[in-house]
Amino acid sequence: MWNLALLLVVLALAVPAARAQQVVGDAIPTSLTGQPGDAGRGRAIVASRNLGLCLLCHSGPIAEERFQGNLAPSLAGAGSRWSEEQLRLRIVDGARLNPDTIMPPYYRTGGLQRVARNFQGKTILSAGQVEDVVAYLATLRD
Amino acid sequence: MMRLRIGLCLASVFVASLALAQGGIDKRRSGYQDMGPSLQKMQDDGTANPGMLFVQLGAQAWATPAGAANKACVDCHGASGATMKGVALRYPAIPEGADTPADLEARINLCRTANQKAAPLPPESRELLSLSAYVAHQSRGQPIAPPDDPRLAPFRERGAALWAARQGQLNLSCAACHDDNAGKKLAGVTIPEAHPTGYPVYRLEWQTLGSLKRRLRNCLVGIRAESYAYDSPEYVMLELFLMERARGMAFEAPAVRP
C-alpha cells in the first residue's frame, strides 16, 4: 500500500520531467523545472571550477576568473547567437547537436562509460542549475 | 567511429616513427617543453631537482639486503647500477617465463618476490619509487625504445582503444585532450601531449615523486571516471601505447612537472 503510494509519487514526479526535456529541432522549448532560472546564480555556476567547469574550456566575460580556457568559443555574445531554448539543449546534451563534441552533457546520465562511483546516476548539473545557467547565458548579448 | 579512431591512433604512431626513421622533423613535444624556464632549470640541475633525492635513496635501497634470501640488488645486478642502463626505455615488457607485460615497478617487485623472497613493495611507496627512480635514472638522455616483441601488440592495441574511448561523467577520451587539443589552455594549464618521458616524476602539486600510474589516475579523476585498481592490466596497456607513441623521444627521469 505504502509502496504503491510511493510509486505514484515517483511517477507523478517523473512524467513532467520527461515531458519537459522534449527536444524540438535544435532546442528544448520548455524549462526543465517549469520555472525561469536565476541569472546571478547561473553566473556563479559558470565561473565555478568544480560545479560548472565551463571556464576550463571556454573564456567569457567573467573578469575575476583569471585562468580561462581556449578549447571552445568565448561565451560572450552567446545570448545574441542563440535563444534560451537552443542554449538549453546545448547545456543539457550538446552531443544532440554535434556527436563529436567534447562539451560534457550536463543533464544526461545515459550512455556514459565507467563513471566514478560518487557520480554514478547523477547529472553534472541539476535541472534548476541548468535553468540558472541558461538564464545567465541569455544575458550575454553583444 | 571508435574503430576508426583506434586505427587512426595507431596509424599516427607508426607515421611518427616512420618520419623519425626518415630523418623528418619530429614535432612531438615532451611536457618539459611546455614548462617555464625555471622549472626546466630545476629539472636539469641535479642539486635542485627533488627527484634526485629519491635516486639517492634508491642507491641505498639497491645495496641493502632484503627478504628471506637476504640478498640485495647489487648481489645480482652489480654495484654501479650500470647494468640497468637502457632498461627503463623498453618497459613495459614481458618478463622471462611470463605471458603478460609488466611495467618497471612490477618488474622490480618480481625481483623482490622471486629473487629476494620478500613481500612486494606497495604502489607509490617511498622504497618502490626510489628504486624505480634509481633504475630509470640510468637511462636519462637516451631515446625511448620499446621492444619489438609481437606478443605485446594485442596489449598495446587495447591501450590504444582505452586512449580513444570516452569515459567518465564528463564523457571525454584521453585523445580529446592530448591529441586533439594539446598545446591549448585548459583553464590556465597548457595541455601536454602526454608523453611518458619523465616517470617517475617529481610533481609540484603532489610535493613528492609519483609514478606514471598515479598521473593517469589524476586524469581519470579529472574526467570523473572510475580509476582502475593499481594492479589492473589497463594501466600497463596504456603505458605500452604511450611508450610506443613516444618511441625515440629522450628519456628524462626523474623529471619535474607542475
Side-chain angles (χ1 to χ4, degrees):
Chain A
M1 189 57 221
W2 218 90
N3 277 343
L4 184 64
L6 194 68
L7 185 70
L8 288 175
V9 171
V10 168
L11 282 178
L13 288 173
V15 168
R19 205 188 297 130
Q21 254 212 72
Q22 206 119 77
V23 176
V24 178
D26 66 348
I28 298 177
T30 48
S31 163
L32 304 183
T33 57
Q35 306 290 321
D38 177 296
R41 281 200 305 259
R43 186 183 190 279
I45 293 166
V46 169
S48 154
R49 278 281 181 106
N50 41 34
L51 203 50
L53 313 159
C54 316
L55 300 183
L56 285 180
C57 296
H58 291 274
S59 55
I62 298 184
E64 74 273 17
E65 283 298 318
R66 277 184 53 228
F67 297 112
Q68 307 195 349
N70 65 1
L71 273 58
S74 168
L75 295 177
S80 307
R81 289 189 293 278
W82 309 103
S83 69
E84 287 199 27
E85 292 74 14
Q86 288 172 314
L87 289 167
R88 187 175 292 115
L89 177 57
R90 159 62 67 190
I91 308 301
V92 164
D93 187 8
R96 300 285 294 255
L97 301 165
N98 169 11
D100 293 329
T101 190
I102 58 167
M103 179 154 155
Y106 280 90
Y107 196 68
R108 155 156 84 91
T109 52
L112 303 177
Q113 310 298 320
R114 305 195 62 264
V115 174
R117 214 158 292 147
N118 44 331
F119 293 108
Q120 259 167 36
K122 297 182 187 151
T123 55
I124 304 173
L125 295 179
S126 68
Q129 289 169 329
V130 170
E131 290 306 323
D132 293 342
V133 168
V134 168
Y136 168 64
L137 294 175
T139 67
L140 301 180
R141 302 191 156 268
D142 282 330
Chain B
M1 183 59 214
M2 170 89 176
R3 290 211 149 264
L4 181 69
R5 194 62 182 271
I6 298 164
L8 284 176
C9 258
L10 283 176
S12 63
V13 163
F14 294 133
V15 169
S17 335
L18 194 70
L20 217 60
Q22 294 171 335
I25 303 164
D26 190 350
K27 292 212 189 80
R28 292 173 299 174
R29 289 168 66 85
S30 163
Y32 177 87
Q33 289 157 282
D34 295 325
M35 305 194 303
S38 63
L39 283 186
Q40 291 185 342
K41 214 168 142 230
M42 184 194 271
Q43 173 171 321
D44 294 339
D45 177 351
T47 60
N49 182 338
M52 290 307 291
L53 295 174
F54 288 82
V55 174
Q56 281 161 25
L57 285 173
Q60 286 165 22
W62 182 256
T64 309
N70 198 34
K71 283 213 156 49
C73 320
V74 284
D75 295 326
C76 302
H77 294 297
S80 73
T83 52
M84 292 290 131
K85 204 172 166 168
V87 169
L89 307 170
R90 46 186 172 74
Y91 274 77
I94 299 179
E96 268 299 284
D99 49 16
T100 52
D103 56 18
L104 187 61
E105 287 98 341
R107 185 64 191 83
I108 290 170
N109 261 335
L110 206 60
C111 275
R112 282 280 297 183
T113 52
N115 292 320
Q116 294 181 307
K117 312 279 180 224
L121 297 167
E124 304 304 309
S125 61
R126 180 174 267 267
E127 196 176 353
L128 184 56
L129 287 169
S130 303
L131 280 168
S132 46
Y134 178 73
V135 171
H137 184 245
Q138 312 298 323
S139 301
R140 212 178 199 210
Q142 294 175 257
I144 288 176
D148 295 316
D149 179 348
R151 293 173 303 163
L152 290 173
F155 297 99
R156 190 178 292 131
E157 274 160 32
R158 284 194 57 196
L162 293 170
W163 177 260
R166 287 178 183 264
Q167 53 177 318
Q169 194 193 34
L170 303 191
N171 202 30
L172 289 168
S173 67
C174 317
C177 282
H178 294 298
D179 286 335
D180 303 344
N181 285 293
K184 292 198 187 147
K185 293 275 189 202
L186 187 72
V189 180
T190 303
I191 300 178
E193 291 179 9
H195 294 298
T197 40
Y199 289 80
V201 301
Y202 187 90
R203 191 165 178 223
L204 299 180
E205 189 177 314
W206 297 333
Q207 293 284 298
T208 185
L209 203 71
S211 69
L212 181 53
K213 282 196 184 84
R214 182 169 180 192
R215 177 62 253 189
L216 302 188
R217 290 170 77 91
N218 278 193
C219 279
L220 288 167
V221 168
I223 56 177
R224 301 184 179 174
E226 190 65 22
S227 294
Y228 308 102
Y230 257 107
D231 58 356
S232 77
E234 279 85 357
Y235 290 120
V236 181
M237 293 167 184
L238 275 166
E239 286 166 9
L240 276 166
F241 169 77
L242 289 173
M243 288 295 272
E244 181 62 42
R245 186 168 166 269
R247 178 188 285 276
M249 293 179 78
F251 197 61
E252 313 162 23
V256 171
R257 292 289 182 267

